[in-house]
Amino acid sequence: MGEFVVHHFLRCHSKSDNDSADVSTQVWYAAFEPSNKSHLVATCGGNKVCVIDVETGIVQYRYTYPKGLLYTLSWSTACPRNNILATGGTNNTIVLIDLLTKSAYLHYSLFQGNNRKIFISSILFHPSQNILFCALNNGYLYILQFETNNSRIVNLENRYNIDVKCEIFGLAFCEINDYLLIATNVGLKGWDNSQSQNQELLDFELPKNPNEMYKDQNENVIDSIEIVKDSWIATKVALHGVIYIFNLDVALSKTKNNKCLVKPTYILQWSDTDNYFMSCSVGLDGKLLACGDDRGSVWIYNLKDLAFKSSTSDSKVITVNSVLKWPKLEDKYLKKKKKLEVDVYDIVMAKCAVHSSGKYLVAVTNNNLVCLYKKSTVKK
């Protein structure tokens, strides 16, 4: 198989349906439907969720949120033959979407008073239990349970909530260890799903900043957290210029006083940007990792030759295999409105998503584009 090539670039999250030249709406998240047979990817940003067929580049469904902006989404596989989408953002309302009927059929409000600065920052279904994790930017983590009926999620109820006491940016669940990993503005934290709610969160101590440009920065912002496979975790600390891959089993074995020392097995060299919130994605059963930067590029790492065995020796540094550069676009809509081309400014690739087959890659941007790439069949 060849390299990834541009397939379709879509501007489908415009606040106004008639504005084809909207370059200010930010698209925040993308996730493929968890099915090998599906080619649907869901994206959210502005006030919309779009469900796109990556083979054709056609938007199959679009939902407009009446209460503000959407920042996050997650697919559930709890209902046989019907994967439900959950999304959320401002106004602290969880919205469930049924693609069979193409309808947003349930709205569940998390009571947070009238503070307009509080919003849902991350939402995540448990991979095998009827549980939905929902994080707010003010540090509250809700653990909700639900039932299924007639191929829909119903009776969504809050079991309990935890005050993490810091800003939450992302969630990932490691099923083998039954651990919820929480990306925050003060580091990576862990929640043992098998224990009672009256537990103290685990603090993961990641390496000090290796980036010479920012080594004096004391921030510890985790802006990406992903499960690679099994107990292997990929995480990115803002300004570090690298992506760490570590084994959660090994890290947990070194826990002392609720602190967990992380020694990465692999360190992936990435961008030295000073921008935040460019989240990576893993596909092909942990064999491919992709992460965008703030120049409209996507960094591709081929992990298939890595042994994924913990070692007492030094971390192995991995260089990038290829970088997808931002293409020269012919944008008739911007020309018609006499707007500047998007590459005049920073192009922040907020989130990447990789299809399970490894044949498709999606990146979403801060200038209202959903970028679809596909593997070329031309061999080099």
Side-chain angles (χ1 to χ4, degrees):
M1 294 289 285
E3 299 294 320
F4 283 101
V5 295
V6 171
H7 187 38
H8 296 284
F9 275 36
L10 309 178
R11 187 176 287 132
C12 50
H13 285 267
S14 302
K15 190 170 183 180
S16 167
D17 290 339
N18 298 321
D19 189 359
S20 299
D22 173 0
V23 291
S24 61
T25 294
Q26 293 177 284
V27 191
W28 289 105
Y29 206 86
F32 276 97
E33 182 177 15
S35 166
N36 292 332
K37 296 179 180 179
S38 172
H39 289 92
L40 297 181
V41 66
T43 58
C44 71
N47 61 350
K48 289 178 174 60
V49 166
C50 293
V51 179
I52 304 160
D53 184 329
V54 291
E55 285 191 312
T56 63
I58 294 173
V59 178
Q60 302 283 345
Y61 172 75
R62 189 158 65 161
Y63 162 71
T64 300
Y65 182 55
K67 297 182 178 181
L69 304 175
L70 296 170
Y71 297 121
T72 180
L73 57 79
S74 180
W75 291 90
S76 169
T77 56
C79 300
R81 298 177 299 280
N82 189 28
N83 293 331
I84 301 295
L85 259 178
T87 187
T90 54
N91 218 48
N92 306 312
T93 301
I94 299 168
V95 181
L96 297 186
I97 296 171
D98 179 354
L99 291 179
L100 282 182
T101 58
K102 295 190 174 180
S103 61
Y105 71 93
L106 189 150
H107 295 72
Y108 182 93
S109 294
L110 303 169
F111 180 73
Q112 283 289 320
N114 294 317
N115 190 338
R116 294 180 180 271
K117 293 181 179 179
I118 301 172
F119 56 85
I120 295 173
S121 56
S122 186
I123 204 165
L124 181 69
F125 281 105
H126 189 288
S128 58
Q129 298 176 15
N130 288 2
I131 294 173
L132 176 63
F133 302 104
C134 182
L136 304 186
N137 67 315
N138 67 349
Y140 274 91
L141 175 65
Y142 285 79
I143 290 90
L144 303 107
Q145 61 187 14
F146 58 85
E147 298 173 352
T148 59
N149 183 43
N150 293 331
S151 297
R152 277 186 171 181
I153 289 172
V154 295
N155 299 333
L156 192 61
E157 291 183 359
N158 183 34
R159 279 171 57 189
Y160 52 87
N161 53 277
I162 308 153
D163 186 2
V164 181
K165 298 184 178 3
C166 53
E167 197 170 355
I168 301 174
F169 300 132
L171 303 170
F173 193 85
C174 183
E175 192 167 15
I176 285 181
N177 298 92
D178 209 10
Y179 247 84
L180 180 71
L181 300 171
I182 308 164
T184 79
N185 65 321
V186 292
L188 182 63
K189 297 183 180 293
W191 168 264
D192 190 341
N193 190 55
S194 66
Q195 300 297 319
S196 69
Q197 68 183 82
N198 299 316
Q199 62 175 288
E200 192 175 340
L201 287 170
L202 197 63
D203 282 315
F204 292 91
E205 295 186 341
L206 289 155
K208 291 184 178 179
N209 197 337
N211 191 336
E212 285 295 322
M213 294 173 65
Y214 308 110
K215 65 180 182 179
D216 296 327
Q217 293 276 355
N218 295 318
E219 290 187 16
N220 201 14
V221 175
I222 309 295
D223 64 358
S224 185
I225 180 75
E226 293 285 330
I227 309 301
V228 179
K229 64 174 185 177
D230 303 328
S231 288
W232 292 90
I233 314 298
T235 190
K236 186 159 69 67
V237 188
L239 307 182
H240 279 216
V242 296
I243 299 165
Y244 299 113
I245 296 180
F246 69 94
N247 186 284
L248 183 58
D249 261 336
V250 173
L252 292 175
S253 70
K254 297 178 180 178
T255 302
K256 188 176 182 180
N257 299 325
N258 269 73
K259 293 191 182 297
C260 182
L261 183 65
V262 172
K263 182 186 176 186
T265 305
Y266 305 107
I267 298 177
L268 278 53
Q269 291 183 330
W270 184 66
S271 167
D272 60 4
T273 176
D274 60 355
N275 259 318
Y276 291 49
F277 306 120
M278 289 153 282
S279 184
C280 58
S281 177
V282 178
L284 267 181
D285 295 323
K287 296 183 182 71
L288 189 149
L289 185 146
C291 190
D293 63 17
D294 57 351
R295 296 177 180 177
S297 298
V298 180
W299 298 53
I300 311 283
Y301 303 86
N302 187 345
L303 309 182
K304 68 181 177 65
D305 294 328
L306 300 187
F308 284 105
K309 289 182 180 178
S310 297
S311 171
T312 54
S313 59
D314 291 341
S315 303
K316 184 176 181 180
V317 177
I318 307 294
T319 56
V320 67
N321 290 93
S322 61
V323 178
L324 282 172
K325 298 290 187 181
W326 185 260
K328 184 63 180 175
L329 300 178
E330 188 66 31
D331 196 327
K332 63 180 181 181
Y333 300 105
L334 293 187
K335 287 181 178 178
K336 188 176 181 181
K337 291 287 184 73
K338 296 182 179 179
K339 289 186 176 182
L340 293 173
E341 296 291 333
V342 292
D343 56 6
V344 172
Y345 310 100
D346 282 353
I347 302 170
V348 178
M349 300 297 222
K351 175 66 178 174
C352 288
V354 181
H355 190 263
S356 58
S357 67
K359 293 180 180 178
Y360 294 96
L361 169 66
V362 175
V364 296
T365 75
N366 65 334
N367 54 22
N368 192 22
L369 283 172
V370 177
C371 310
L372 310 182
Y373 301 89
K374 69 175 181 178
K375 270 286 184 75
S376 169
T377 55
V378 178
K379 292 183 179 180
K380 283 195 171 183

